[in-house]
Each structure stands twice: as structure tokens, then as C-alpha cells.
């Protein structure tokens, strides 16, 4: 008697939407994670705009959207399609401005994500050179107690970065796993430290959303802690 070989499980489908401001290296940064998704059983489709979101038949098949699309625009039918897919179980994950500063003019998107980039206060103005590095400051990512047992952040301790530190407008529906605190410097107009979420998740309908504000460029995404959390976050968010 022969035994039939076990059938391979059906692949899951990931949609990578990348574009917008080139300063965030949308192609290079997503290229870091596409092999990881493929190794974990996803077929990957890559698009340069939000147009696929409007295809309801296709989006019903998508298990994970990886979005890195900074300061872009989204049409009404595209957002409606994305929102409907997430509410039906499609996961959404991303980092930095590619998810937290994607579609500034769409208030429903801001509600969906739960956090909007407001500023990245940088170096003393007298030290500015006109380069992106004007906004790079040393700062710490502080892991909250909830992070200790969460599958995205388990085993990751507080760590330091020199990069853009996001000041984020947010609401308390987020499940925050890590924060970062903007200090008060002599040239700043605010008068007390400001703490923003740095890593959070959000449940929307049947779907899961994962956001990491660290991730300005390839070098930050290659930080072991940042990369580990993003890899885990994408798997956690996927249907």
C-alpha cells in the first residue's frame, strides 16, 4: 500500500504597494522583505500605486498588504477597497512614512491606521545643511511591558537609533508595544517631553494592522531589532 505525499498548503497572497517620495527608498526597502515573505509561503505582487485596492475580486484574495507609499494620493474607490479588504480579514503592515504618512488628505485612512506623522524635530537649526540628516537625532525606542509577551516584540529590549524620530498624532485604540519620547531642546517651542507610539497594532474588523515608525531608509531597516519586529509584524498581520 502506498501513501500519497502530503499536499503542500496553498500559498498566501501578499500585495506590495510601494511608491511616493523617493527619499524613503520604497523599492530598496521593500526589496529587503520580499524574499522573507516568499520564504514564508507568500506569492508576492508588486505595484507602484494604490490602484489594485479598487479591485474587490483581487483584494478578496490578498492575505497581506505591505505598503510603503509616502505622501501619495488615494482615490475614493481605492480606499474603499482597502478598507473593505481589511475589515474582511486582509492584513496591513508597513513602516515609517510609507504607512503613517501615506494619504494625508484622506481622514478615513488616518482613522484606519491610528497614527499620523506630524513632525520629526531634528538638529539645532544652526547645524542644518539641507540634507535629510538634518532630521537625524539620537533617540531611544522604549519597549512597553505589553511587548514582553507579544509575538512581534518578545525578547526585544530597548534600543537606540540615530534617524528620524517620529512625532505621531494618535488615538487610544492602538495597542502600543513601544514608544519614543521627544526631548525638549533649547531651540524647541514645546515645554515638556512628548511621547509617541513607535510600534503599534490595531484590529479593524477581521483584519490586523501593524505599524513601525522606525524605518526611514535601508540602514534603519537593517537594524536587527527593527527588522525582526517588522518581519514578525507582517506575519502577525497576515490573514
Amino acid at each position: 500500500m502506498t501513501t500519497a505525499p502530503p499536499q503542500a498548503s496553498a500559498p498566501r497572497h501578499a500585495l506590495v504597494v510601494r511608491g511616493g517620495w523617493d527619499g524613503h527608498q520604497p523599492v530598496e526597502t521593500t526589496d529587503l522583505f520580499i524574499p522573507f515573505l516568499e520564504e514564508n509561503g507568500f506569492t508576492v505582487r508588486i505595484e507602484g500605486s494604490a490602484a489594485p485596492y479598487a479591485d474587490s475580486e483581487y483584494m478578496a484574495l490578498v492575505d497581506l498588504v505591505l505598503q510603503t507609499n509616502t505622501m501619495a494620493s488615494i482615490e475614493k474607490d481605492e480606499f474603499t477597497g482597502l478598507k473593505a479588504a481589511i475589515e474582511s480579514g486582509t492584513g496591513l503592515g508597513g513602516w515609517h512614512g510609507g504607512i503613517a504618512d501615506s494619504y494625508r488628505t484622506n481622514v478615513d485612512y488616518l482613522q484606519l491606521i491610528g497614527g499620523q506623522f506630524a513632525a520629526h524635530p531634528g538638529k539645532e537649526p544652526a547645524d542644518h545643511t539641507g540634507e535629510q540628516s538634518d532630521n537625524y537625532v539620537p533617540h531611544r525606542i522604549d519597549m512597553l511591558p505589553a511587548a514582553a509577551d507579544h509575538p512581534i516584540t518578545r525578547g526585544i529590549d530597548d534600543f537606540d537609533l540615530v534617524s528620524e524620530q517620529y512625532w505621531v498624532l494618535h488615538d487610544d485604540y492602538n495597542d502600543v508595544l513601544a514608544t519614543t519620547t521627544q526631548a525638549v531642546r533649547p531651540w524647541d517651542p514645546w515645554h515638556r517631553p512628548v511621547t509617541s507610539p513607535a510600534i503599534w497594532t490595531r484590529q479593524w474588523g477581521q483584519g490586523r494592522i501593524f505599524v513601525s515608525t522606525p524605518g526611514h531608509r535601508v540602514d534603519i531597516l537593517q537594524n536587527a531589532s527593527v527588522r525582526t519586529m517588522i518581519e514578525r509584524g507582517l506575519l502577525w498581520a497576515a490573514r
Side-chain angles (χ1 to χ4, degrees):
M1 178 179 176
T2 59
T3 303
Q7 293 184 351
S9 58
R12 291 191 287 177
H13 299 280
L15 170 64
V16 175
V17 173
R18 62 190 190 185
W21 185 55
D22 286 338
H24 281 161
Q25 299 180 310
V27 172
E28 296 87 346
T29 56
T30 50
D31 279 351
L32 288 178
F33 295 93
I34 289 172
F36 172 79
L37 293 175
E38 292 172 337
E39 290 164 5
N40 281 274
F42 289 89
T43 62
V44 178
R45 172 178 169 180
I46 302 171
E47 295 288 344
S49 76
Y53 295 160
D55 184 344
S56 59
E57 291 186 9
Y58 168 68
M59 290 301 294
L61 304 175
V62 174
D63 300 296
L64 172 68
V65 174
L66 167 54
Q67 180 182 278
T68 302
N69 201 20
T70 306
M71 293 186 289
S73 60
I74 190 168
E75 299 297 328
K76 181 177 180 181
D77 60 342
E78 294 168 350
F79 172 74
T80 299
L82 174 63
K83 179 172 175 284
I86 293 172
E87 290 179 353
S88 296
T90 300
L92 173 64
W95 52 81
H96 205 62
I99 192 167
D101 193 23
S102 295
Y103 312 118
R104 295 179 179 181
T105 61
N106 188 305
V107 295
D108 293 321
Y109 177 81
L110 305 185
Q111 182 194 30
L112 178 73
I113 297 302
Q116 168 63 31
F117 163 78
H120 39 48
K123 299 175 182 177
E124 183 175 3
D127 295 332
H128 285 192
T129 64
E131 301 295 328
Q132 288 188 42
S133 57
D134 290 346
N135 296 317
Y136 298 174
V137 295
H139 61 280
R140 172 153 290 197
I141 305 299
D142 296 303
M143 310 308 294
L144 299 186
D149 295 321
H150 198 284
I152 295 175
T153 46
R154 187 180 297 122
I156 296 177
D157 297 323
D158 299 350
F159 60 96
D160 296 315
L161 295 173
V162 180
S163 180
E164 291 183 349
Q165 182 185 24
Y166 264 21
W167 181 319
V168 175
L169 308 180
H170 57 98
D171 65 44
D172 64 5
Y173 187 59
N174 292 334
D175 294 318
V176 181
L177 298 172
T179 61
T180 189
T181 299
Q182 174 66 53
V184 179
R185 290 84 53 88
W187 59 90
D188 291 325
W190 50 93
H191 302 287
R192 61 176 184 268
V194 178
T195 297
S196 293
I199 306 290
W200 73 86
T201 66
R202 198 167 173 91
Q203 186 84 33
W204 203 259
Q206 299 301 310
R208 290 174 165 183
I209 297 169
F210 163 76
V211 179
S212 167
T213 64
H216 175 62
R217 290 170 68 86
V218 166
D219 61 321
I220 299 302
L221 291 165
Q222 290 174 327
N223 174 282
S225 295
V226 174
R227 184 163 187 164
T228 296
M229 288 190 292
I230 289 174
E231 288 177 344
R232 293 176 178 176
L234 295 176
L235 296 182
W236 175 89
R239 191 198 314 270

